[in-house]
Amino acid sequence: MKYDVLREHLGNDQRFHRPGEVRDADPSTVAHLVRAGVLAAAKGAKAQEKPANKAAPKPQNTAAE
């Protein structure tokens, strides 16, 4: 998931992230930074939706017929 950097901090990758940057991170890894106001979910970013039933067949494309 993408996050907007609100305050400068040293990331897990030993890189300084500066305000205004967008960084990609695992939500469980940066939850403490979001609570502290260091990061915020990027505008327009959505959590990836997981299919309700992975075994369900894909719908047929009738436009190609």
Side-chain angles (χ1 to χ4, degrees):
M1 188 167 172
K2 296 199 181 288
Y3 293 92
D4 290 326
V5 178
L6 303 177
R7 291 194 332 230
E8 185 176 285
H9 66 282
L10 181 62
N12 285 348
D13 54 0
Q14 300 302 313
R15 176 180 171 281
F16 270 104
H17 297 280
R18 305 201 186 285
E21 290 182 358
V22 176
R23 78 175 270 200
D24 195 25
D26 181 41
S28 62
T29 305
V30 296
H32 66 288
L33 296 173
V34 173
R35 281 192 307 269
V38 176
L39 297 177
K43 303 224 184 323
K46 293 193 275 185
Q48 295 176 351
E49 295 181 20
K50 295 182 182 177
N53 184 358
K54 293 181 183 179
K58 294 182 182 179
Q60 285 192 336
N61 185 355
T62 57
E65 294 176 354

